[in-house]
């Protein structure tokens, strides 16, 4: 079993799912580790080849099943696959927001920003800000059975 | 090494649904202490030991060590594992290692999953052991879930044509051409200009050791001419490309009268189209005033002058260099052009060689004579060059005073920001490289362009000359500012990379491409419309129009899937079943986090 560090906290930390990309944003997130920066351990990352391939349904699924927020760490202008990756990824985020709104989940639980392969500090800052916002919002309703 | 595991039931157990359960082996790495100092790896092991599809789990001091690799192979074979999860460092480091382990053990490499519990867990949560451990459990569960939904995939194999097209015959392209020919490949070297040579052909002595550019190119021209395997086509442009990786048909238009088109079949394409020089606006640092020249113009002047420099018939007594003109500009080219500092410093030494009494002032933001080029910087200072640093927000100003003399006013940060007027005979604006306007080629080859406007490699360290377009490599300054030896090195890297695929005669492509569920597809054409690689075709299957994917053309971005109204497209390796089960796995892990918070 996990040893408790003994610290007592009143509320659990907001759970954030990050979608990152193999060649651009994931190396940036890795770099935060190499630099021994810190962010909340309630942040976990799933990596895909390109942010344009993130399915809005995955984002909705995460929020419906217990994540409090989803952050799309998109390729931005550096995407090696698609020149219009930015627009496509924005479309994914917008569609995911529409999808969750219909289910009564706040659209601001979905955030998106380009994270470059050296954007470690920017990533950590995003996680801090997003955690704070989600902390205010509270947990994402009831778990969908 | 901790291997205190209890092998579980070694027979295949049938799941409730009747489908045989997976037999997955999990290795949780200490990474020395890089992981285990911050994550309770034994707790991670214990947490997943009872999971339905986990047949074996152990912690290991170094998963990547030869000993552990051999243990894994033994375990995969003896326990008939059909999935492998390695929880250690970033996938950027050891995916090839453990794919090879899988292959050696007879396990399909695509049924192995890497879980990053170092860069994305232990190192970022070194302040929170409980949180890091709970997260690691979630990440490992996600890895197990992904593996449980994996299917064996075979690399896509294609026979390749043992020939290469080199686009651009500058120093990088010419050296690549001779290198490719020496590997035994057929080479087509095409050049837009009438002669081979590019920029270096125009230059005299070049840094670091004064080798003459024109003579270097002369030698390369001979080497190209004496190789029968190289076909040179000048006044030529690439105008069409078809086919797939390993076998591209390329059309080259020759600007003869009348223009003709030649077709070649090639296995790889090396793009070495070079750079342009930054051209300042009139008025930028006094550009346009007589006596104010760019680095390129100055280099020409120095090369053409065998003795002391003269401008407008008068001897040059003072030269003032202004660095970073057009480079490192917040609103312009933001990058450092990296070759210009050394080129300028080298030219200033040549000036001193011809006339030791010329005063030379170098007004700089930062001097980047990296590596051995530092010696050039020291030499120029020893020879009397004066270096003055100006603040980023107060660049020098160039003017002609009332008496008609050229004067540069600069702010010297090293003397407490004192304003200094330097009367001078010649002002050299140290201009860098800019991306060459090559829109047609860029869109023809679908080359990715980075934020600076140069072509982008897949990975700057591990795959520095490959692009996402398989078999299309980049070399030299089309990729970004480089000096001639760096250009040649990247040209030779492109040679090695071409050779690595073309000499085998077959190439393997990553099979993680998109897959169309043709039962769900109702052919709306959206996927075909959004794919810039032409990887989607329409076929008629059982009397219905449906989409099909050309696995050789598909780059595996998955961008089309987001446009499919019927959710008929999935990216192998990132299927909805995999992603959703990963999400479930993570949440199971972090449920423990919640318990700990109380």
């Amino acid at each position: 079993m996990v040893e408790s560090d003994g610290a007592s906290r009143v509320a659990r930390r907001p759970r954030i799912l990050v979608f990152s990309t193999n060649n651009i944003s994931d190396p940036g997130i890795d770099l935060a580790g190499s630099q021994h920066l810190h962010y909340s351990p309630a942040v976990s990352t799933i990596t895909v080849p390109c942010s344009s391939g993130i399915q809005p349904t995955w984002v909705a699924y995460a929020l419906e099943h217990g994540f409090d927020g989803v952050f799309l760490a998109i390729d931005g202008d550096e995407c090696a696959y698609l020149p219009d990756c930015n627009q496509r990824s924005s479309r994914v985020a917008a569609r995911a927001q529409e999808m969750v709104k219909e289910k009564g989940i706040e659209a601001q639980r979905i955030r998106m920003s380009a994270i470059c392969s050296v954007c470690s500090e920017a990533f950590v800052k995003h996680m801090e800000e997003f955690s704070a916002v989600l902390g205010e919002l509270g947990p994402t309703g009831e778990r969908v059975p | 090494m901790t291997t205190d595991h209890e092998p579980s039931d070694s027979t295949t157990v049938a799941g409730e649904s009747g489908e045989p359960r997976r037999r997955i082996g999990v290795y949780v790495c200490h990474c020395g202490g890089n992981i285990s100092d911050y994550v309770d790896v034994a707790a991670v092991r214990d947490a997943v030991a009872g999971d339905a599809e986990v047949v074996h789990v152990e912690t290991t001091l170094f998963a990547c060590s030869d000993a552990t690799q051999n243990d894994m192979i033994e375990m995969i074979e003896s326990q008939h594992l059909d999935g492998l999860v390695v929880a250690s460092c970033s996938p950027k480091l050891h995916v090839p290692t453990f794919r090879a382990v899988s292959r050696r053990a007879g396990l399909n490499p695509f049924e192995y999953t890497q879980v990053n519990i170092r860069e994305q867990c232990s190192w970022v949560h070194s302040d929170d052991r409980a949180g890091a451990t709970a997260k690691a459990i979630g990440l490992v569960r996600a890895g197990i879930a992904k593996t449980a939904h994996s299917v064996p995939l075979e690399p896509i194999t294609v026979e390749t044509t043992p020939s290469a097209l080199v686009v651009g015959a500058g120093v990088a392209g010419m050296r690549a051409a001779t290198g490719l020919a020496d590997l035994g490949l057929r080479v087509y070297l095409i050049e837009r200009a009438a002669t081979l040579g590019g920029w270096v052909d125009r230059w005299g002595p070049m840094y670091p050791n004064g080798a003459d550019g024109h003579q270097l190119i002369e030698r390369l021209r001979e080497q190209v001419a004496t190789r029968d395997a190289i076909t040179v086509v000048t006044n030529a442009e690439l105008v069409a490309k078809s086919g797939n990786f390993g076998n591209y048909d390329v059309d080259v238009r020759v600007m003869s009268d009348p223009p003709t088109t030649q077709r070649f079949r090639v296995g790889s394409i090396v793009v070495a189209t070079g750079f342009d020089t930054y051209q300042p606006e009139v008025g930028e640092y006094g550009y346009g005033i007589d006596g104010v020249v760019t680095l390129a113009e100055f280099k020409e002047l120095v090369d053409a002058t065998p003795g002391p420099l003269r401008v407008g018939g008068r001897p040059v007594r003072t030269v003032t260099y202004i660095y970073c003109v057009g480079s490192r500009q917040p609103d312009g080219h933001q990058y450092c052009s990296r070759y210009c500092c050394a080129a300028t410093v080298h030219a200033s030494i040549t000036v001193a060689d011809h006339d030791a009494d010329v005063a030379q002032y170098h007004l700089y933001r930062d001097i980047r004579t990296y590596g051995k080029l530092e010696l050039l910087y020291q030499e120029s200072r020893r020879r009397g060059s004066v270096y003055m640093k100006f603040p980023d927000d107060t660049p020098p100003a160039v003017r002609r005073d009332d008496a008609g003399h050229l004067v540069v006013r600069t702010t010297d940060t090293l003397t407490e920001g004192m304003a200094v007027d330097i009367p001078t005979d010649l002002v050299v604006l140290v201009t860098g490289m800019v991306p060459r306007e090559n829109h047609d080629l860029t869109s023809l080859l679908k080359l990715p362009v980075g934020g600076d406007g140069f072509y982008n490699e897949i990975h700057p360290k591990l795959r520095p000359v490959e692009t996402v377009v398989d078999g299309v490599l980049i070399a030299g300054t089309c990729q970004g500012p480089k000096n001639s030896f760096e250009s040649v090195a990247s040209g030779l890297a492109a040679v090695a990379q071409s050779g690595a695929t073309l000499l085998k005669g077959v190439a393997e492509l990553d099979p993680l491409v998109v897959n169309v569920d043709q039962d769900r597809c109702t052919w709306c054409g959206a996927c075909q419309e959004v794919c810039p690689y032409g990887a989607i075709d329409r076929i008629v299957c059982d009397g219905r129009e449906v989409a099909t994917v050309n696995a050789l053309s598909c780059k595996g971005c998955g961008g089309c899937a987001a446009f499919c109204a019927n959710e008929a497209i999935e990216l192998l390796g990132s299927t909805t079943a995999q992603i959703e089960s990963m999400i479930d796995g993570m949440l199971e892990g972090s449920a423990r986090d919640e318990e700990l918070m109380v």
Side-chain angles (χ1 to χ4, degrees), chain A residues 1-5 7-13 15 17 19-24 26-27 29-59 61-62 65-67 77-84 88 91-92 95 124 143, chain B residues 38 40 43 46 90-92 116 118-121 123-135 137 139 146 448-451 456-459 468 530-533 555-563 567 569 571 574-576 579-584 586-587 590-594 596-598:
Chain A
M1 276 302 8
V2 181
E3 292 165 34
S4 172
D5 60 3
S8 66
R9 301 176 183 84
V10 280
R12 73 171 168 79
R13 291 168 283 215
R15 296 176 183 135
L17 176 64
F19 281 104
S20 70
T21 66
N22 287 339
N23 296 319
I24 316 278
D26 207 53
I29 298 170
D30 276 355
L31 185 62
S34 307
Q35 295 172 327
H36 294 253
L37 305 177
H38 289 150
Y39 52 84
S40 159
V43 174
S44 291
T45 300
I46 291 179
T47 309
V48 294
C50 169
S51 44
S52 68
I54 299 166
Q55 296 287 353
T57 51
W58 302 342
V59 177
Y61 184 92
H65 286 77
F67 275 103
D77 294 333
E78 289 182 44
C79 179
Y81 295 102
L82 299 166
D84 58 344
R88 291 189 188 213
R91 180 179 169 275
V92 169
R95 291 193 56 208
V124 170
R143 277 194 178 213
Chain B
Y38 314 110
D40 184 344
D46 295 345
S90 164
K92 278 83 200 162
N116 183 349
R118 193 179 72 174
E119 283 82 351
Q120 294 187 7
C121 190
W123 280 350
V124 274
H125 311 309
S126 53
D127 55 341
D128 185 348
R129 187 173 172 84
T133 303
K135 172 171 168 179
I137 293 169
L139 293 175
K146 182 180 183 184
V449 174
N456 250 4
E457 67 288 326
I458 291 186
H459 188 286
V468 285
V530 298
C531 177
Y533 299 103
K555 302 290 163 256
C557 63
C560 55
F563 287 85
E567 293 178 33
I569 299 184
L571 180 59
S574 308
T575 62
T576 293
I579 301 288
E580 291 184 352
S581 69
M582 289 176 81
I583 291 169
D584 293 341
M586 285 175 175
L587 288 168
S590 62
R592 283 163 193 266
D593 187 38
E594 198 169 352
L596 287 167
M597 293 304 112
V598 192

Side-chain angles (χ1 to χ4, degrees), chain B residues 31 50 58 86 97 133 174 308 332 417 555:
Chain B
C31 191
E58 67 176 81
V86 181
T97 307
T133 303
M174 292 172 82
K555 302 290 163 256

Side-chain angles (χ1 to χ4, degrees), chain B residues 285 390-397 409-411:
Chain B
Y285 294 95
F390 62 84
D392 287 356
D393 57 357
T394 320
R409 166 162 291 195
T410 191
T411 308

Side-chain angles (χ1 to χ4, degrees), chain B residues 90-113:
Chain B
S90 164
K92 278 83 200 162
L93 293 151
H94 280 302
V95 165
T97 307
F98 298 116
R99 278 193 183 168
V101 164
S102 305
R103 197 179 287 285
R104 269 148 56 206
L107 174 70
N108 186 283
F110 294 92
E111 296 190 289
Y112 137 72
T113 301

